[in-house]
Amino acid sequence: MKGFEQLLRQNVENLFLVLRPPMGKRNLEDIDVSFGFIFSAEPEHLYIVSSSRGEIKTPSLAIEKTPAEILPWSDFYKNVFRWMNTEPAPEEMPLSKVEYYDVSSCSEFKNIVGSEVLSIEGISFHNSSLYFGTKINFDTDHIISTPIEEGNTTETLKFHNYNNLRKFEQIGKIAFQELVPSSQDLDIHLTE
């Protein structure tokens, strides 16, 4: 099992948006989207940074095999809006359905693909040791992953800039702390 510290100094070869179809959602900031990384050193694995699905949301790292079905970036918003306007019967859409969009060659992510993970920070409320989010830093960009009501949202400098952290700042002062290997309570699981 590999923890978040295993992402440090890894070079991002491919980048994916991992989407749980947002059936009936009204706003783009409410869609459940996470980032998936394929690193040069491990091209057969997809590392997905997200939020746990439990009652208390904490950062999670899932390691999966490279997805068999990959959708192009050009379909992302078209499919998101289609899902947002859909209310299928529960038997028509399994809750575990996930779509993988390859965004490796998109200009919005050019400062991440081909870059090295320089540092990883846990996001918590000031004076709390329980992290609710993750910030992954690259040379000229970053990825912030935080929980939303029904999953996870993620943003970079050029993608999905809804500043979900503002919602947490309304509750209390937030703090960023660089992660130190084996000292953090993070949800990490391997799925094959």
Side-chain angles (χ1 to χ4, degrees):
M1 193 160 38
K2 297 181 179 185
F4 275 79
E5 70 277 359
Q6 297 298 314
L7 306 181
L8 287 169
R9 303 293 174 215
Q10 294 276 4
N11 189 40
V12 179
E13 186 170 303
N14 294 94
L15 188 64
F16 290 83
L17 289 176
V18 181
L19 175 72
R20 291 188 184 277
M23 294 178 294
K25 298 291 183 195
R26 294 183 184 265
N27 302 305
L28 282 173
E29 61 263 29
D30 296 330
I31 66 172
D32 185 351
V33 63
S34 303
F35 271 105
F37 302 90
I38 293 180
F39 296 112
S40 301
E42 292 189 63
E44 69 283 355
H45 288 109
L46 180 69
Y47 289 77
I48 300 172
V49 174
S50 191
S51 297
S52 66
R53 303 271 175 220
E55 194 171 308
I56 297 176
K57 306 271 191 208
T58 58
S60 71
L61 177 65
I63 305 168
E64 301 178 358
K65 289 187 177 190
T66 304
E69 185 178 339
I70 298 171
L71 300 168
W73 165 245
S74 58
D75 287 351
F76 181 76
Y77 283 109
K78 177 179 67 172
N79 289 350
V80 164
F81 289 120
R82 179 175 52 87
W83 285 117
M84 288 173 76
N85 293 309
T86 301
E87 291 286 352
E91 65 274 3
E92 293 176 19
M93 184 64 198
L95 293 176
S96 61
K97 169 79 172 153
V98 176
E99 296 177 342
Y100 300 90
Y101 293 85
D102 187 348
V103 297
S104 302
S105 60
C106 302
S107 62
E108 290 90 333
F109 309 106
K110 70 180 182 182
N111 293 328
I112 296 172
V113 177
S115 295
E116 183 179 279
V117 175
L118 298 178
S119 65
I120 302 171
E121 297 172 272
I123 307 169
S124 66
F125 289 107
H126 186 67
N127 293 327
S128 173
S129 60
L130 181 63
Y131 295 127
F132 61 81
T134 307
K135 182 178 181 186
I136 300 174
N137 296 299
F138 302 91
D139 188 37
T140 59
D141 208 339
H142 63 261
I143 291 174
I144 294 177
S145 177
T146 52
I148 56 175
E149 186 176 341
E150 294 180 27
N152 186 76
T153 191
T154 190
E155 61 186 79
T156 70
L157 292 175
K158 296 183 179 181
F159 171 75
H160 213 63
N161 295 309
Y162 296 108
N163 195 5
N164 193 48
L165 288 178
R166 272 183 295 157
K167 294 175 184 175
F168 292 96
E169 289 170 336
Q170 292 173 353
I171 298 169
K173 183 177 178 181
I174 60 172
F176 294 82
Q177 169 132 11
E178 191 164 346
L179 298 182
V180 178
S182 73
S183 67
Q184 307 304 319
D185 182 23
L186 301 172
D187 177 25
I188 303 164
H189 57 279
L190 176 65
T191 55
E192 300 264 0

